[in-house]
Amino acid sequence: MIKKVLYILTVICVFFPLKVYAAANVAVIAPKAGEFRRLGTEIIEGVRLAVDEINAGGGLNGEKINLITVDDQCNDRLSVSTAQMMALNTSKTDRINLVIGPYCTNAFRQVAAIYAKAGIFQIIPTSVSAQNAAASNYKGLVKMVGFSERQGQDFLKFYQKHFASKNLAMIYDSRQSDTIDVARIVRSEFQKAAPAGILRVYNLADYGSDLDYLARDITDNSAEAAYILGRPKSVAKLAKYLRQEDDEFIIFTNRYQSQESYKKILGNLSEGAYVIALPSLKDDPAFTETLVRLRLLGVEPEGLAVYGYSAVKLWEALVNKTDSFAYEKLAAAVNKKKVDTTWGEMMFNNGNPDNSVHYSVYRIQNGEYAQVY
């Protein structure tokens, strides 16, 4: 209860400051603590970099940008209450012009509806469920990189190319909506392209904390590889148990579920494991100009920082195109024709990109992530 009160007081202080020096307010919603803090920090730093760059150049549309960072702790209730409090800020000086995030999307539909009703432009810098996106086709909501189901499709292409004959266990957590969607697409694609019986699907929620039993169940059913999605510590512990059962067992995880605890829990057993992640963009020719500019500033964007940075730059391009911060004008501009991003031009329809960003596959080698696909 005390933590909740302190959180609410903090948000009130952030959203209702004593003095406001900027007419354009950008809020980024991402975890600053807990299992996903590294990812939240990456997004926030990318956003901060873009805002600082805009302000150093004289601002945007004649105004300096004020950056607000909010830690929603990847908690659904806090994500919703944060959105509700932001929607209350309606004065010219206090209103939020842009929300970037949230990173965790279990409460995505509720949050998106609140921002849309309040006329707050929203950009999601990471992937979201296609089902959630279809149910949240608000004109001022941009799903910048596309849909989480893409990782299942890209994983399948890699798996079929390198491990087509090996039995696979697909593990997801029904308490997390994004893992359900990925498991669904993997199952669907395997049914179309793989021999019957090569895939078995497991729900982490059915096993509670008994991950050792789940690992034995998986290996007893002749699985030779596993794609594990769930909470970071559960992913790491299950991967460890599987590797202890068989040190040649093939492990796939999503980078966003294999956090700091992953290598710490697995130790040397993490060597050779595969990780699925959004591309770094450093090798993308269309991103070269942006990368050079960032490096001249002494910045080497890592992980999701580039996506936080790109979200702000996309909004900047729309503001410059419309000469306005107005929700309706920005929404019309993003859905009319191609829009410049830091990695090329894209088309959006109801805020949905015409093409989702493809995921990359990395392998842990000597403790580092080496891209293999």
Side-chain angles (χ1 to χ4, degrees):
M1 181 63 184
I2 292 176
K3 287 184 178 180
K4 186 173 181 181
V5 171
L6 289 175
Y7 171 83
I8 293 171
L9 289 175
T10 300
V11 172
I12 290 173
C13 291
V14 169
F15 294 153
F16 298 93
L18 295 178
K19 294 182 181 180
V20 179
Y21 298 98
N25 296 309
V26 172
V28 55
I29 316 299
K32 296 181 182 180
E35 292 180 301
F36 297 103
R37 65 182 178 276
R38 181 164 63 98
L39 301 174
T41 299
E42 289 176 1
I43 294 171
I44 290 169
E45 289 310 306
V47 171
R48 190 186 308 279
L49 175 62
V51 168
D52 288 347
E53 187 179 48
I54 291 170
N55 285 337
L60 181 59
N61 203 29
E63 303 290 350
K64 292 285 186 177
I65 307 301
N66 181 46
L67 177 61
I68 300 164
T69 63
V70 180
D71 177 12
D72 69 352
Q73 303 172 34
C74 276
N75 180 294
D76 296 347
R77 287 183 299 171
L78 294 184
S79 293
V80 173
S81 62
T82 293
Q84 290 169 334
M85 280 188 263
M86 284 189 175
L88 294 174
N89 294 346
T90 57
S91 72
K92 182 179 178 181
T93 53
D94 292 336
R95 72 169 284 107
I96 305 298
N97 299 92
L98 170 68
V99 164
I100 295 175
Y103 169 73
C104 295
T105 57
N106 266 0
F108 178 77
R109 296 186 190 187
Q110 291 172 270
V111 167
I114 293 168
Y115 290 134
K117 185 176 181 181
I120 298 173
F121 202 75
Q122 182 184 7
I123 300 177
I124 307 296
T126 51
S127 57
V128 297
S129 156
Q131 289 187 339
N132 275 339
S136 308
N137 275 337
Y138 302 109
K139 54 190 176 183
L141 167 62
V142 178
K143 303 90 172 179
M144 192 175 72
V145 305
F147 311 116
S148 55
E149 287 86 347
R150 171 65 75 178
Q151 67 174 288
Q153 297 166 339
D154 292 332
F155 159 74
L156 180 61
K157 290 178 182 176
F158 179 80
Y159 194 83
Q160 288 181 320
K161 184 176 181 179
H162 297 280
F163 306 107
S165 63
K166 294 187 180 296
N167 293 332
L168 174 70
M170 174 75 237
I171 301 102
Y172 74 102
D173 191 334
S174 62
R175 295 161 292 192
Q176 293 183 273
S177 62
D178 54 341
T179 74
I180 297 172
D181 297 322
V182 176
R184 176 178 50 79
I185 199 70
V186 169
R187 184 202 297 252
S188 174
E189 295 298 323
F190 260 79
Q191 287 175 342
K192 296 176 187 175
I198 199 169
L199 175 71
R200 291 179 68 95
V201 180
Y202 300 83
N203 181 0
L204 277 167
D206 292 338
Y207 291 83
S209 61
D210 198 351
L211 299 180
D212 190 14
Y213 177 75
L214 173 56
R216 291 195 301 272
D217 198 7
I218 290 169
T219 54
D220 286 348
N221 281 296
S222 303
E224 302 163 272
Y227 187 11
I228 313 171
L229 299 174
R231 301 293 299 187
K233 287 185 179 179
S234 295
V235 169
K237 289 177 181 178
L238 179 57
K240 180 179 180 179
Y241 289 138
L242 288 169
R243 276 290 177 88
Q244 287 176 334
E245 292 280 331
D246 177 1
D247 59 9
E248 294 186 0
F249 197 92
I250 302 163
I251 299 291
F252 288 89
T253 63
N254 180 299
R255 177 182 180 252
Y256 315 114
Q257 276 102 32
S258 56
Q259 291 304 294
E260 296 171 4
S261 58
Y262 188 71
K263 290 182 183 178
K264 184 177 180 180
I265 290 174
L266 267 75
N268 292 333
L269 293 174
S270 69
E271 191 71 10
Y274 294 91
V275 177
I276 317 294
L278 288 167
S280 69
L281 299 180
K282 290 183 180 180
D283 297 324
D284 188 332
F287 189 69
T288 301
E289 183 180 343
T290 301
L291 183 60
V292 169
R293 187 172 71 252
L294 293 176
R295 284 175 171 169
L296 287 174
L297 293 171
V299 176
E300 189 70 27
E302 298 295 337
L304 294 179
V306 69
Y307 294 97
Y309 175 86
S310 296
V312 178
K313 301 302 284 185
L314 173 59
W315 176 68
E316 179 190 24
L318 294 172
V319 171
N320 285 330
K321 181 178 292 189
T322 60
D323 194 31
S324 173
F325 295 114
Y327 176 87
E328 294 290 342
K329 291 184 178 181
L330 297 179
V334 79
N335 290 303
K336 271 187 177 180
K337 51 188 177 181
K338 288 186 177 180
V339 181
D340 288 330
T341 70
T342 58
W343 64 81
E345 292 187 328
M346 294 180 69
M347 286 285 294
F348 291 89
N349 180 22
N350 285 326
N352 301 316
D354 54 355
N355 287 304
S356 288
V357 173
H358 284 276
Y359 280 72
S360 298
V361 181
Y362 300 82
R363 194 175 188 216
I364 300 176
Q365 297 176 349
N366 299 317
E368 302 295 329
Y369 293 98
Q371 186 169 347
V372 294
Y373 177 73

